[in-house]
């Protein structure tokens, strides 16, 4: 699903506002090298990626969550699960163990 330049700029502004002020949890079925095609603007895609990966912990999830045809309900469930885990770990100041989200 391509994103227009205006939508990409709005997303960039939102991410810029949150940058170094709070956490951002983002899930995607696309690798970073594919983002230029999605955003229709390699410069904006690169700027968004730069901000997102600075201080980031990136987790690649293999299996059914990675399939292109995954249903929205499953994506929402996974994002909610990761949000709860991230919030809990921030409160406890613990390190994330990717194995804790396995089904």
């Amino acid at each position: 699903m391509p994103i227009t330049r205006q939508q990409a700029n709005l997303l960039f502004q939102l991410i810029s506002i949150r940058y170094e002020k709070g956490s951002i949890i983002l899930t995607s079925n696309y690798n970073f090298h594919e983002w230029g095609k999605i955003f229709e603007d390699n410069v904006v895609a690169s700027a968004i990626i730069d901000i997102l990966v600075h201080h980031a912990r990136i987790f690649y999830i293999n299996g059914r969550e990675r399939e292109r045809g995954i249903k929205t309900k499953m994506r929402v469930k996974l994002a909610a699960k990761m949000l709860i885990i991230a919030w809990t770990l921030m409160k406890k100041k613990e390190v994330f163990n990717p194995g804790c989200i396995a089904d």
Side-chain angles (χ1 to χ4, degrees), residues 44-92:
V44 174
S46 295
I48 290 171
I49 292 168
D50 284 345
I51 291 174
L52 287 174
V53 300
H54 189 238
H55 304 302
R57 291 187 180 156
I58 300 171
F59 303 100
Y60 293 97
I61 301 169
N62 295 317
R64 67 180 176 179
E65 291 87 4
R66 189 148 191 224
E67 295 172 7
R68 297 277 186 208
I70 188 170
K71 294 182 180 178
T72 302
K73 184 177 179 182
M74 291 302 294
R75 282 186 287 197
V76 170
K77 181 180 175 184
L78 177 62
K81 191 185 255 190
M82 293 199 63
L83 179 61
I84 292 167
I85 291 167
W87 183 81
T88 304
L89 293 174
M90 282 189 320
K91 292 297 245 178
K92 294 181 178 181

